[in-house]
């Protein structure tokens, strides 16, 4: 990815971006208590004395959350700490019932990884805060506005992933974010849905003269809930910082919010003026020291990840890079492709993976939209058969699209549909005979073509297409006509 | 009626099982005595006629038990001695209490205490001080002052309390009863309102060592709700030893010399003679870092407490001072709800953890802790138990030390090293000085409670503690 | 040793309102206590590992199996100020 640089005076400036990602884990229960996780339930219906922070309560670590953390650590190529501990991060806010968050500080569970050319600084486990909802008209306290706290979300297990500031443009940030999302989705540890909040991305951005080692002052951009907004927000902030530096000013450290509807950045009131979290080791929890068995299970439960899968598609199936990526990064498409490929096609001849990939990523996707391919009416074996029929020139590509329309609508078997609708292209002899008749029927066109008017062939082709009800392969017709005319 | 008063918890349980005693009668007897008391030992008692279930077949047979108000008891007020939890009725019960109730203990009432277990005199309660039954002008010790006073005055056959820096042992010493701080982790902390998480433990306050062993046996257990709890490797036995032959007792100069007042020293020395008479061997040992115990303790405990008490903010339970903005609500609620000692410790703890000070204070205190634990490990290679006075002084007058927090803290000098190392220690009455009780402390390595009980039992027999003016006889 | 400004700063971190009297008293009391605590400085602790846990336990984990939650009324019952749905607080952004 090329760094985007801005010319400013004698300096060229480059953006320096690091991302901080919070991933809500798809465990059944919360990080430190047995309350179930379920989004969208009525407020305060999934709570207990522990996640409400009642006096005398104590946390107990969710084994599955640790398992997921080990999986993520491996998926991101991290070093796993032989022993990691929890810390208390102390501050006051209504969404934090204990007045501290149990997190990890200087000894996180994972460190020093890499994904898609971006280094991972660390990954650690922590608990999510509760939700503050503005009370609106229904609640004012002594004339002041009120909020309602809903503790359902409080205590949800989170993995926080922090990258090194290796990203050099907003576009790269968005693309890398998509790679991270696809990778995490493949592991199954989270729904990674940005709109629902199970994947949250904050960015740290600064700019510096190209070639300078020191970083400029960074700002933080929070809560962008799509990759498009992430990219736009980062671009906006880069532009803002560039303006400041151009004008001879200093970038101030602050936390910002990007409003995608207006495209503007605004400063967020910080939760604490003094970010003194007074971290100390959590005395109520003991260390996590992953055993051989725990590490093996994490490895065993990791499926093939997108980057590896894309590489395999390129290598083993000779798919072009962009097709390989498309299929690898959307797991369900990749699965569908592989299932179709395995079924062999039996439309005649070997199934060409690239041709199949093309049909999956363009024609199939166009017809089924957001539905998962496995849930569509098009069976993988059916698509494979269809692709085979087209490749072997049994039917034309256009006819193929027609068959796919039918499959998408109501399922079925391509061969049967071709038969039913008489979509089969003519055999070579039959076509040859029709071309002969076409030439007989259009002597003027033949003459004109012989004289060099290339467009005259159109009338002859048209005759053939009418005779074959459009099912002939246009290229083949063209070829036969020319062959027979003798030019 | 006074026959009932004569029965220890174990004796009462036996009589109930033998069908010779009606648990309801025993319960009402104690409840009525408690209701009329003027020591301010209780914060909550059931109404007349309101009795719990009596499990006469269970080991504790329905014998009534007083419970320090630091324990959450479902539906029953649990204030931790603080106004900030006035009216709080927990939605659950502490595991240690549940264990005892399953074993047949009948909850008699909730006892008064220093607020959030912070104190050594029970003068820090949000609900008024507790008086020492031996002399009502004197403090009973703290923070389990209510439980200790209740047992000493015959307002309960036995009680449970909590000990972080000495809060069971020191009031036991000042009130002339037995108190055990067990090995850290041997009893679940789930439901114990937290003061200092890495130090807090709960334990029995009883008239004699046998009762303490019996209660402790039914408190221990690994609890899935407490990640720091473990299964005790031994079954807790009721002690029977009559002598101390072959037992080596370490006497550390750091905890038995300077600072111990003459009257206490005298009783302590008498006890040492007694140990030798019983066949025990006295060994000089050194615990060089124990003199820094107070310094380490008064960083670590307040630091952990400052975080543990952050949840008291008027949002989900407890007291709230209404204010227009959020920060003001937090600040005013906590100002109004917490007493001066709690505020002091929150401030101390917050300061010790704050940016720039962490390593010098908290970091170093945790290192001192390592050294203190090492000292004990080394000592226990030479001796089986360590013996010291429990408190440098006997009970002092109400109001005598309230203006001098540091002087108050120094009361804990002999008891703080053990929780810092996580090891168990018991206090048993050794004698009187100035007509006030003097306690003797026996400490052992982790999970050595059986060893401690045996030695304490033998010593207790030999001491023959039965002062004619004991409060439970009045 | 710990002056008025520091006391006010720490009180803010701890969300404790202190009256002027309290600030002054606190400053003196804390200074005295800290003086005593600082005797730790006499020790050479450079090579000593800090103790954060006295129990030698590791990997105390809980199976990911749901346990019963509190009925909402019970969860809200103790709150000083609650609606039928949740706990009410002054909005963090709002000012008096």
């Amino acid at each position: 990815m090329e760094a985007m640089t801005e010319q400013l005076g004698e300096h060229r400036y480059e953006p320096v971006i690091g991302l901080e990602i919070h991933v809500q884990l798809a465990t059944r229960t919360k990080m430190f208590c047995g309350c179930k996780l379920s989004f969208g339930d009525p407020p305060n219906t999934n709570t207990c004395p522990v996640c409400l922070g009642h006096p005398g309560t104590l946390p107990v670590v969710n084994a599955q959350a640790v398992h997921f953390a080990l999986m993520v650590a491996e998926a991101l190529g991290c070093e796993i700490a032989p022993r990691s501990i929890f810390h208390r991060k102390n501050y006051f806010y209504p969404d934090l019932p204990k007045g501290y968050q149990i997190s990890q500080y200087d000894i996180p569970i994972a460190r020093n990884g890499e994904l898609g050319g971006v280094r991972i600084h660390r990954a650690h486990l922590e608990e999510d805060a509760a939700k503050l909802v503005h009370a609106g008209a229904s609640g004012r306290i002594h004339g002041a506005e009120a909020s309602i706290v809903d503790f359902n979300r409080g205590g949800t297990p989170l993995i926080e992933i922090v990258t090194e500031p290796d990203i050099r443009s907003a576009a790269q940030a968005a693309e890398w974010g998509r790679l991270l999302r696809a990778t995490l989705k493949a592991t199954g540890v989270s729904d990674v849905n940005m709109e629902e909040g199970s994947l949250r991305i904050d960015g740290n951005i600064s700019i510096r003269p190209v070639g300078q080692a020191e970083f400029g002052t960074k700002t933080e951009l929070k809560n962008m809930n799509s990759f498009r907004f992430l990219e736009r927000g980062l671009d906006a902030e880069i532009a803002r910082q560039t303006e400041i530096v151009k004008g001879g000013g200093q970038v101030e450290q602050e936390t910002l919010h990007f409003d995608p509807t207006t495209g503007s950045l605004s400063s967020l009131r910080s939760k604490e003026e003094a970010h003194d979290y007074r971290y100390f080791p959590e005395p109520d929890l003991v260390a996590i020291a992953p055993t051989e068995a725990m590490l093996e299970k994490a490895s065993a439960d990791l499926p093939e990840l997108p980057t590896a899968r894309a590489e395999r598609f390129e290598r083993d199936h000779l798919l072009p890079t962009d097709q390989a990526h498309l299929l690898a990064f959307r797991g369900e498409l990749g699965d569908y492709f592989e299932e179709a490929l395995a079924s062999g096609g039996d439309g005649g001849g070997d199934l060409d993976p690239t041709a199949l990939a093309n049909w999956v990523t363009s024609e199939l996707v166009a017809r089924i939209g957001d539905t998962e391919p496995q849930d569509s009416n098009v069976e993988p074996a059916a698509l494979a058969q269809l692709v085979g029929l087209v490749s072997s020139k049994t039917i034309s590509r256009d006819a193929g699209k027609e068959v796919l329309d039918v499959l998408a609508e109501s399922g079925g078997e391509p061969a049967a549909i071709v038969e039913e609708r008489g979509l089969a292209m003519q055999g070579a002899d039959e076509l040859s005979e029709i071309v002969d008749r076409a030439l007989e029927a259009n002597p003027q066109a033949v003459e004109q073509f012989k004289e060099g008017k290339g467009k005259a062939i159109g009338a002859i082709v048209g005759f053939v297409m009418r005779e074959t009800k459009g099912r002939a392969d246009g290229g083949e017709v063209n070829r036969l006509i020319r062959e027979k005319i003798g030019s | 009626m006074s026959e009932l008063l004569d029965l220890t918890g174990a004796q009462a349980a036996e009589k109930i099982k033998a069908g010779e005693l009606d648990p309801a009668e025993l319960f009402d007897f104690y409840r009525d005595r408690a209701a009329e008391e003027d020591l301010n030992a209780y914060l909550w008692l059931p109404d007349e006629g309101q009795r719990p279930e009596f499990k006469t077949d269970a080991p504790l047979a329905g014998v009534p038990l007083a419970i320090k108000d630091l324990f959450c008891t479902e539906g029953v007020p649990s204030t931790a001695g603080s106004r900030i939890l006035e009216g709080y009725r927990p939605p659950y019960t502490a595991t240690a209490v549940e264990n005892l109730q399953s074993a047949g203990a009948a909850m008699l009432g909730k006892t008064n205490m220093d607020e959030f277990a912070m104190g050594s005199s029970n003068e820090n309660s949000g609900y008024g001080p507790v008086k020492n039954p031996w002399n009502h002008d004197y403090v009973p010790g703290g923070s389990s002052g209510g439980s200790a006073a209740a047992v000493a005055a015959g307002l309960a056959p036995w009680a449970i309390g909590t000990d972080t820096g000495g809060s069971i042992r020191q009031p036991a010493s000042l009130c002339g009863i037995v108190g055990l701080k067990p090995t850290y982790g041997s009893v679940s902390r789930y439901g114990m309102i937290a003061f200092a998480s890495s130090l807090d433990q709960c334990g029995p306050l009883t008239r004699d060592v046998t009762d303490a062993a019996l209660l402790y046996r039914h408190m221990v257990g690994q609890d899935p709700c407490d990640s720091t709890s473990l299964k005790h490797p031994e079954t807790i036995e009721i002690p029977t030893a009559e002598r101390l032959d072959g037992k080596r007792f370490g006497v550390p100069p750091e905890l038995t010399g300077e600072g111990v007042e003459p009257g206490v020293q005298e009783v302590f020395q008498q006890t040492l003679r007694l140990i030798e008479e019983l066949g025990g061997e006295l060994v000089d040992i050194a615990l060089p870092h124990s003199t820094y115990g107070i310094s380490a303790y008064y960083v670590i405990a307040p630091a952990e407490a400052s975080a543990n008490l952050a949840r008291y903010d008027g949002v989900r339970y407890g007291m709230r001072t209404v204010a227009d903005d959020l920060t003001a609500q937090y600040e005013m609620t906590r100002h109004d709800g917490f007493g001066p000692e709690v505020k002091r410790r929150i401030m101390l703890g917050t300061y010790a953890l704050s940016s720039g000070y962490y390593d010098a204070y908290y970091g170093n205190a945790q290192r001192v802790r390592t050294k203190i634990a090492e000292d004990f490990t080394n000592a226990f290679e030479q001796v089986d138990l360590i013996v010291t006075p429990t408190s440098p002084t006997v009970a002092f007058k109400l109001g005598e030390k309230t203006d001098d927090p540091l002087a108050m803290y120094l009361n804990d000098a002999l008891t703080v090293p053990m929780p810092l190392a996580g090891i168990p220690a018991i206090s048993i009455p050794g004698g009187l000085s100035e007509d006030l009780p003097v306690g003797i402390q026996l400490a052992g390595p982790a999970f050595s409670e059986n060893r401690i009980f045996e030695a304490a039992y033998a010593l207790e027999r030999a001491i023959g503690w039965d002062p004619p003016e004991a409060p439970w006889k009045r | 040793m710990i002056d008025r400004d520091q006391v006010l700063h720490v009180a803010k971190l701890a969300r404790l309102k202190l009256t002027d009297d309290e600030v002054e008293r606190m400053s003196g009391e804390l200074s005295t206590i800290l003086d005593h605590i600082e005797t730790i400085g006499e020790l050479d602790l450079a090579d000593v590992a800090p103790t954060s846990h006295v129990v030698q336990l590791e990997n105390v984990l809980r199976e990911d199996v749901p346990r019963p939650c509190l009925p909402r009324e019970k969860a809200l019952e103790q709150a000083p100020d609650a609606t039928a749905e949740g706990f009410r607080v002054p909005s963090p952004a709002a000012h008096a």
Side-chain angles (χ1 to χ4, degrees), chain C residues 11-91:
Chain C
K12 193 83 197 170
L13 287 178
R15 293 296 184 271
L16 269 182
K17 183 116 206 99
L18 296 175
T19 62
D20 284 335
D21 270 350
E22 284 172 321
V23 173
E24 202 176 306
R25 221 177 333 122
M26 194 70 80
S27 175
E29 286 167 352
L30 292 180
S31 297
T32 308
I33 296 165
L34 287 168
D35 276 342
H36 183 91
I37 286 171
E38 266 147 32
T39 56
I40 290 182
E42 295 162 9
L43 294 168
D44 177 14
L45 298 166
D47 294 324
V48 184
T51 300
S52 48
H53 296 93
V54 286
V55 285
Q56 305 304 328
L57 288 171
E58 282 176 346
N59 296 334
V60 177
L61 302 172
R62 168 182 59 85
E63 288 306 302
D64 189 25
V65 171
R67 306 209 60 232
C69 287
L70 285 175
R72 178 154 73 184
E73 320 79 59
K74 201 127 204 239
L76 298 177
E77 200 172 58
Q78 302 288 323
D81 184 3
T83 64
E85 295 212 319
F87 304 85
R88 207 150 56 142
V89 295
S91 293

Side-chain angles (χ1 to χ4, degrees), chain B residues 9 29 121 161 275 291 469:
Chain B
F29 170 74
S121 65
I275 287 174
T291 44
E469 351 54 75

Side-chain angles (χ1 to χ4, degrees), chain A residues 154-202:
Chain A
T156 302
L158 293 179
I159 289 178
E160 180 179 320
I161 300 167
V162 181
T163 75
E164 298 287 2
D166 289 348
I167 295 170
R168 292 287 171 271
S169 75
Q172 184 192 5
E175 188 190 318
W176 188 84
R178 290 187 178 93
L179 170 59
L180 178 68
R181 182 182 175 275
T183 305
L184 291 174
K185 194 160 166 76
T187 64
V189 306
S190 168
D191 294 336
V192 280
N193 184 320
M194 280 177 94
E195 275 157 16
E196 284 178 4
S198 48
L199 178 68
R200 312 201 282 254
I201 305 190
D202 300 332

Side-chain angles (χ1 to χ4, degrees), chain A residues 209-261:
Chain A
V210 174
Q212 178 179 295
E214 285 121 33
F215 296 125
T217 306
K218 67 179 178 197
T219 61
E220 193 186 353
L221 206 55
K222 290 190 88 69
N223 297 336
M224 288 151 295
N225 59 12
S226 78
F227 292 114
R228 243 182 32 250
F229 295 158
L230 173 67
E231 188 171 345
R232 288 180 54 207
L234 287 172
D235 270 329
E237 176 56 9
I238 291 164
R240 189 189 73 90
Q241 288 194 15
T242 307
E243 270 305 298
I244 291 171
V245 173
K246 255 191 195 166
Q250 296 260 24
V251 173
E252 276 182 26
Q253 184 172 34
E254 55 184 319
T255 302
L256 300 158
H257 171 71
F258 176 69
D259 182 348
T261 50

Side-chain angles (χ1 to χ4, degrees), chain A residues 416-443:
Chain A
I417 295 168
V418 166
E419 178 82 35
E420 230 172 72
R421 294 183 172 223
L423 293 173
M425 287 200 297
Q426 289 60 29
D429 293 339
E430 201 193 330
L431 188 60
S432 183
E433 187 262 328
I434 295 171
V435 170
D436 287 338
R437 281 197 282 119
L439 293 176
E440 274 176 41
N442 295 277

Side-chain angles (χ1 to χ4, degrees), chain A residues 55 77 134 371 388 461:
Chain A
H134 206 68
T371 315
V461 171

Side-chain angles (χ1 to χ4, degrees), chain B residues 153-201:
Chain B
L155 305 175
W158 48 18
I160 55 171
T162 68
D163 190 310
T164 305
S167 292
I168 286 177
R169 295 162 287 154
Q170 188 253 18
S173 171
L174 269 50
C175 288
I177 60 168
V178 173
L180 171 79
K181 183 210 88 72
T183 305
Y184 183 84
S186 66
V187 184
S188 168
R189 286 183 300 116
Y190 187 72
M192 259 174 68
I193 297 176
F195 159 23
S197 316
S198 73
L199 299 162
D200 293 343
Q201 268 294 279

